[in-house]
Amino acid sequence: MRLTLALFCSILAAAQVLENRALRLQARGGGAFQLTDKATGVAWDLNPPRVISKAPAEGYQASSGPGRALRFTLQGVAFELRLTDNPPAVEYSFTPRAEVEEVLLLNQSLEIGPGQRNYYALPQRMGVLMPVEGDKPHSRRLRAYETGRGYSMAMFGAVKEGSALMLTWEDPYTEIVVDYAVEPRRKLAASLAMRRTARSVRLRPLGGGGYVEIAKAYREVARQRGYLKTLAEKARENPAVERFFGAADFKPFAFMRRAPNTRWNKSDQWTADLNFTFEECAQLAEHYKNDLGIDRALLVLNGWINGGYDNRHPDILPAAPEIGGDAGLIECARRVKALGGWVFGLHDNYQDFYQDARSWDESYLMKNADGTSRKGGVWAGGLAWLICSKKSLELAARPRNLPAVKKQFAPDLYFSDTVFAAPLYECFDRDHPLTKAGDLRYKQELGAYIRKMFGLYGSEEGREWGVAGSDYFEGLMSHRTRFQNPNDTDIVIPLFELVFGDAIPIYAHQSDRPRPDNPGYILDHVLFAEMPVYYFGRHRYWLDPAQEFKPPAGAEARMVFARGGRFGLIDQFIKNTYEVLSPLHRLTALLPMTDHRFVTQDRRVERTRFGKDVEITVNYGPAEYEEPRFRLPQYGFVIESPALVAFHARRYRGLPYEDPPLFVLRSLDGRPLGSSRQVRIYRGFGDRRVEFKGKTIEVDVEKVL
């Protein structure tokens, strides 16, 4: 009896099944498979891969695999799916031909339709929740470790009918492609595009759950890869790490020269901004410590180098004479360190090379495939050229660079700009060629050198491969704070925080600072338990009435956290929000974020949990939100834990408030509030009454009981 080809393929596919206690993988013919999560019964369809080649080959051929593997060949490329038991997963890999340019290993696969329990969790920056919503089709391609539309972690999450699936890989030549279609039906589909050395992906069904469970599963992977090193582990190696706990970031742009005929300076002449002398930088820190009681903070100077911010790199010395020179910077460092609890830092850059640098030398630059030098951005100092990361450390280690900085100024912290913000590059210079993987490795080596020299190290944005070797990120939090507006369609979720929140402090970008009329920025930091990079004026602004913040029309409701009247609006805003955020960050720094969820259907009320006992609820509004324990106005929040309670609420623990107050109740001896022998109560504004140990007491500004 003769079998048709279709029937033969059907019989062969039915025979090709792999399974273990947690999953079932079945071939469906032609390179297609179905992966079933036994815990939930949910099945994921894996479409045949797509091979893009300069010399296409023909044909599909199935082949049996010994033991725990299924194999097939498509267009001359050999593919294999192998089962693993610990953890239960599928390792999907291929061996390409030389002519292959790209393989979409998962091609329009993992399809999901509409539903509240169906979505993708993208590791784009902080994290993006992508449900099956919208009237317009779109496509998104995420490249490895790029700030704009790239991914910050080498993983991808999919949730279907409440069943979670995690994909992981290692090679940076892997890209995530997500396509949203509306016809003939609304659906999301995902692909993994692989080039060069990328060869494989692991698919791991996780049973019932969502993006929180996916992030917790990825913590295990990050630990195995050496990316997850907690702050507790770092602090055992270097106790100075604890100086970040509860530390706000104050970052004055001291001095900047602007090149002509650029977006920074439209004139034909160089211009200069002198915002702070080194003397005024020291006075700024002293003002915050002595007048506002800011006892933990970073003072990281921008524009201290010769030529000012983003000028003449990598030739940074002597320090800018226009604002005090080397002697002024030495004295500034001494005064800031003398405050106790303050960390003195300097901002530098070893990716950008400017042609007006005394040591200009094209041999240090990255080269394009055609041999030309690679241009960087046009910044304050004009066009910058990109230094090959293989050469960056050589420049940083020159006697007149970091060794001289340490000897003269001895900063506690050093910030090297762009290291984690720039994409991974290739360099085609014959003397220092570089792949993306090599670029990653040499950037890690630069960070390790700086950290070893100064003790504390940070850089811009944030990537998973920078967590273990850094002490803070500046910029990643801006994915949340900058995009809380009606025109943004991304639903930002704390995917990165859920994985690495107890491993590194995450700040917003230096250009993203909260003014007194930006309560949403503060709520973001309350929800994620992170510290802000504060906005402030120039020179001795607190003594200059002309620099007082002037609220725009209609901003009265948004000025909520600047209330109190004891300082100017800028300083009152800093004081009130620091009194909430600093104790919260000190409490949660060593605790992982263990949960996040949207409480209301419109996603305007959110809740997080840290460890077992710290729960935070925030209301972005405009409607009030009520539970049995509290009632929150717009911009209201509640932080509840055994040793710390803080709230801006219309009702809390039975006390109603006509004028919703800001209160912070903090145990000073580490015991629960109910049994603590010393509790400090801070009131920022509003009603003076608060319930404590069953009694109603009144507080003017602060009281210690």
Side-chain angles (χ1 to χ4, degrees), residues 354 398 613 670:
Y354 289 87
R398 293 184 307 182
D613 300 323

Side-chain angles (χ1 to χ4, degrees), residues 372-646:
T372 59
S373 296
R374 180 166 296 169
K375 294 179 180 180
V378 177
W379 308 112
L383 175 63
W385 299 78
L386 296 184
I387 300 168
C388 179
S389 61
K390 216 170 185 179
K391 305 288 283 183
S392 294
L393 180 53
E394 180 182 332
L395 290 170
R398 293 184 307 182
R400 287 289 293 165
N401 282 81
L402 299 192
V405 169
K406 180 176 182 178
K407 182 178 180 180
Q408 288 184 255
F409 315 121
D412 306 304
L413 173 154
Y414 215 73
F415 181 93
S416 184
D417 204 6
T418 76
V419 175
F420 306 133
L424 296 179
Y425 291 110
E426 297 172 318
C427 179
F428 296 90
D429 191 296
R430 288 179 295 180
D431 294 329
H432 44 83
L434 200 63
T435 64
K436 287 187 175 184
D439 190 30
L440 187 157
R441 184 174 70 255
Y442 284 110
K443 285 175 175 175
Q444 287 177 320
E445 289 185 6
L446 173 66
Y449 171 79
I450 297 173
R451 194 176 189 218
K452 183 177 180 181
M453 175 165 287
F454 296 103
L456 298 174
Y457 163 72
S459 188
E460 185 183 3
E461 187 62 11
R463 307 279 188 255
E464 62 176 346
W465 51 265
V467 172
S470 306
D471 300 298
Y472 80 114
F473 289 157
E474 183 199 276
L476 190 58
M477 187 67 187
S478 286
H479 187 206
R480 177 74 183 207
T481 57
R482 276 186 169 175
F483 298 110
Q484 289 297 319
N485 63 73
N487 297 320
D488 184 67
T489 57
D490 279 354
I491 304 167
V492 179
I493 54 175
L495 204 62
F496 198 94
E497 279 273 0
L498 285 160
V499 178
F500 294 111
D502 62 335
I504 194 158
I506 299 172
Y507 293 82
H509 194 266
Q510 63 183 14
S511 64
D512 177 26
R513 307 187 186 205
R515 296 172 183 259
D517 62 341
N518 191 350
Y521 185 110
I522 298 304
L523 289 190
D524 293 337
H525 283 73
V526 170
L527 185 67
F528 288 8
E530 295 289 1
M531 294 302 295
V533 181
Y534 276 116
Y535 161 84
F536 45 88
R538 304 166 67 233
H539 303 295
R540 290 181 287 270
Y541 73 90
W542 62 95
L543 300 177
D544 182 4
Q547 292 198 59
E548 181 56 275
F549 182 77
K550 299 173 180 60
E556 290 78 10
R558 299 198 308 274
M559 296 291 294
V560 55
F561 295 127
R563 293 176 57 198
R566 298 183 295 279
F567 306 97
L569 291 175
I570 295 172
D571 282 1
Q572 189 67 63
F573 178 77
I574 291 172
K575 174 65 174 176
N576 285 340
T577 55
Y578 179 85
E579 287 285 351
V580 175
L581 293 170
S582 185
L584 175 61
H585 192 259
R586 298 180 207 204
L587 177 66
T588 60
L590 300 180
L591 299 177
M593 181 187 282
T594 51
D595 195 22
H596 169 266
R597 61 189 177 97
F598 296 99
V599 179
T600 56
Q601 191 170 2
D602 64 2
R603 306 188 185 105
R604 302 307 298 273
V605 179
E606 297 182 51
R607 178 169 291 149
T608 53
R609 180 175 290 273
F610 291 82
K612 296 180 180 179
D613 300 323
V614 183
E615 185 174 272
I616 302 167
T617 306
V618 304
N619 179 23
Y620 294 90
E624 292 194 347
Y625 174 72
E626 187 167 14
E627 287 190 6
R629 303 191 313 277
F630 52 78
R631 184 179 181 186
L632 302 181
Q634 184 177 26
Y635 309 128
F637 67 88
V638 168
I639 300 167
E640 294 184 304
S641 73
L644 175 70
V645 169

Side-chain angles (χ1 to χ4, degrees), residues 287-302:
H287 164 64
Y288 289 136
K289 174 67 183 291
N290 299 329
D291 299 337
L292 271 64
I294 307 298
D295 60 337
R296 286 193 188 181
L298 318 176
L299 187 78
V300 183
L301 302 193
N302 248 336

Side-chain angles (χ1 to χ4, degrees), residues 9-46:
C9 289
S10 176
I11 294 172
L12 182 63
Q16 290 188 307
V17 176
L18 299 176
E19 60 184 311
N20 58 22
R21 59 182 173 81
L23 58 87
R24 185 173 190 267
L25 179 69
Q26 180 171 4
R28 306 189 71 178
F33 296 84
Q34 187 175 75
L35 175 62
T36 301
D37 187 334
K38 289 185 176 181
T40 61
V42 169
W44 300 90
D45 290 330
L46 312 180

Side-chain angles (χ1 to χ4, degrees), residues 207-257:
Y211 61 85
V212 172
E213 287 70 29
I214 292 169
K216 289 179 179 179
Y218 190 67
R219 274 178 68 92
E220 303 171 15
V221 178
R223 170 71 75 181
Q224 293 166 2
R225 292 177 176 175
Y227 294 158
L228 178 62
K229 188 173 188 178
T230 66
L231 287 167
E233 293 169 321
K234 293 177 182 179
R236 285 195 290 270
E237 296 176 357
N238 179 14
V241 167
E242 296 181 5
R243 301 178 71 183
F244 281 96
F245 300 176
D249 189 353
F250 295 95
K251 197 166 188 182
F253 274 75
F255 178 59
M256 179 186 297
R257 295 165 63 253

